[in-house]
Amino acid sequence: MKENSAQTIDSAVETIDQQILGVFRLRQGEVVSGAELSGMLRISRTAVWKHIKALKALGYCIVAVPARGYRLLASPEMFVPAEIAAGLTPKRIGNKIICLKEADSTNSLAFKLAEEGAAEGTVVIADGQSRGKGRLGREWVSPDGVNLYCSIILRPSLQPVTACQLTFLSVVAVARTVEQTTTLKPRIKWPNDILINGRKVAGLLNEMSAETEKVNFVVLGIGVNINMRSEQFPPDLRHPASSLLLEGGVPVNRNEFVRVLLGELDALYDAYLRDGYGSVREEWLSRSQMCGRQVRVASQDRVTSGVVKGIDDIGALLLITDNGIEERVLSGDVTIL
Ligand code: BTN
């Protein structure tokens, strides 16, 4: 990890930079005068100018319009904590956001931070990963500057066996986010893939530290192929993979995508802690459209096929196998037949 390229924000405190961006956003591309900013933020005109200069250094395209003021033309393409946090009022998830140019794996880094005592809701985002981790020990291809690699620390008071419900919660949040930021129709594939037109665009890897009876913390790891181009995919991927750009034909603003995602995760997690797993399971089932479908599940040691009946309280896939017996499948790769 290149520590020196980390930018962190504590969302509970709105910085002057965030307040300036908030004014620009409200005025939707209009010119805002230095005098007005100075009056609203109670800082001198020179201080306004210094903050504008700092925002430009972060990649914001802000132009000075002679004798009138400043206009925000474009926000940066890199991840910026202030840009992500704008307008969010997190109960938990997003209270602290750390953005890095590169991590080996955001999950490994978040795990380490959690062991050192990082607070619930801390989010670690990287622009690229040198050793992105996928499910079942696979690699997660993580080129720089195009996708989202994000890990979130949670400290729920749960029995370890139920912690996988958080995987279902996070995949529902990703599906909602894809719907809000694109015109695409995401579908969930058990246990934690997001497919568009049958191709995988996102995956989740949740890791946990626990004792027999109690979870210490969970790291929700979310990878979304946002603006990845065809030539950036390795030719030998196991499953057909794609990106939001390739499926929708238009680039997606990554800061906006994470902002929506963190908002959805925070709301879903709050409802889950209050009301339990029921509504998450319902939404997962309706978004997966897997009930009643004939599938084949390849686990480490065998292949099972049958018709999907649902998922149970700990997220196992319930199958009526070809010889009529109900089976619970805990892990594996599903192919819808
Ligand atoms: C899968 O195999 O489907 C799960 C992929 C999970 C990838 C994400 S990217 C952010 C986080 N950090 C990692 O190293 N992995 C997860």
Side-chain angles (χ1 to χ4, degrees):
M1 182 194 53
K2 295 171 192 162
E3 288 282 0
N4 57 1
S5 57
Q7 286 183 56
T8 302
I9 197 166
D10 184 339
S11 305
V13 187
E14 200 178 39
T15 62
I16 300 278
D17 286 0
Q18 277 175 281
Q19 293 177 43
I20 293 178
L21 291 172
V23 175
F24 278 132
R25 233 171 252 119
L26 275 176
R27 304 288 281 273
Q28 297 183 342
E30 281 176 21
V31 176
V32 183
S33 76
E36 203 180 340
L37 286 168
S38 144
M40 283 165 98
L41 308 179
R42 296 174 195 278
I43 54 173
S44 68
R45 301 268 302 262
T46 313
V48 169
W49 176 80
K50 281 188 180 152
H51 282 283
I52 296 280
K53 203 170 149 204
L55 285 169
K56 284 164 88 169
L58 285 174
Y60 290 89
C61 179
I62 301 173
V63 288
V65 183
R68 288 184 55 206
Y70 303 101
R71 190 203 301 271
L72 173 66
L73 291 182
S75 296
E77 238 319 291
M78 61 198 178
F79 289 114
V80 180
E83 187 70 19
I84 295 168
L88 288 181
T89 46
K91 286 204 161 70
R92 302 173 189 83
I93 297 176
N95 274 325
K96 183 168 182 184
I97 301 172
I98 302 170
C99 292
L100 298 151
K101 186 82 197 82
E102 186 175 304
D104 53 354
S105 148
T106 54
N107 263 31
S108 306
L109 177 59
F111 205 94
K112 185 165 153 268
L113 293 175
E115 284 178 325
E116 290 165 1
E120 166 154 273
T122 301
V123 180
V124 179
I125 295 168
D127 199 45
Q129 296 185 120
S130 54
R131 263 183 296 165
K133 298 190 286 186
R135 278 174 66 226
L136 308 171
R138 296 177 190 140
E139 180 201 354
W140 185 255
V141 179
S142 309
D144 291 353
V146 282
N147 292 335
L148 171 66
Y149 317 110
C150 157
S151 300
I152 297 145
I153 298 169
L154 298 181
R155 297 183 180 279
S157 65
L158 289 180
Q159 298 265 336
V161 70
T162 51
C164 59
Q165 294 173 349
L166 296 169
T167 308
F168 293 85
L169 182 155
S170 9
V171 83
V172 165
V174 177
R176 286 186 182 181
T177 305
V178 170
E179 268 178 6
Q180 285 176 50
T181 54
T182 71
T183 54
L184 299 166
K185 300 270 165 284
R187 225 184 72 197
I188 297 175
K189 196 182 97 179
W190 182 86
N192 53 13
D193 294 349
I194 295 279
L195 307 187
I196 292 171
N197 304 322
R199 285 182 278 271
K200 178 164 169 171
V201 297
L204 280 89
L205 177 68
N206 292 350
E207 299 183 276
M208 161 169 80
S209 154
E211 290 155 34
T212 323
E213 294 290 313
K214 141 178 179 293
V215 168
N216 297 323
F217 61 82
V218 175
V219 170
L220 303 181
I222 302 174
V224 186
N225 297 339
I226 296 188
N227 294 323
M228 202 166 164
R229 302 178 300 276
S230 324
E231 69 274 14
Q232 294 177 303
F233 288 93
D236 55 348
L237 275 187
R238 253 176 116 84
H239 302 291
S242 191
S243 70
L244 302 181
L245 169 67
L246 290 174
E247 295 306 310
V250 280
V252 175
N253 181 300
R254 292 187 301 157
N255 283 302
E256 188 197 337
F257 188 93
V258 198
R259 187 186 317 129
V260 175
L261 176 64
L262 296 184
E264 289 297 341
L265 279 167
D266 191 52
L268 276 162
Y269 185 53
D270 188 53
Y272 169 80
L273 293 180
R274 211 180 39 240
D275 309 326
Y277 175 52
S279 63
V280 169
R281 177 167 48 190
E282 289 311 307
E283 187 167 342
W284 188 97
L285 285 170
S286 76
R287 288 181 175 280
S288 82
Q289 298 168 10
M290 277 181 78
C291 283
R293 303 287 291 271
Q294 179 80 32
V295 297
R296 188 173 53 229
V297 190
S299 317
Q300 259 168 349
D301 47 355
R302 68 199 193 101
V303 175
T304 318
S305 61
V307 173
V308 177
K309 194 179 155 202
I311 51 168
D312 72 6
D313 277 352
I314 64 154
L317 189 69
L318 302 175
L319 282 188
I320 307 294
T321 62
D322 295 344
N323 38 22
I325 297 163
E326 181 169 323
E327 263 199 41
R328 293 170 69 240
V329 185
L330 287 166
S331 73
D333 280 323
V334 173
T335 309
I336 299 172
L337 301 172

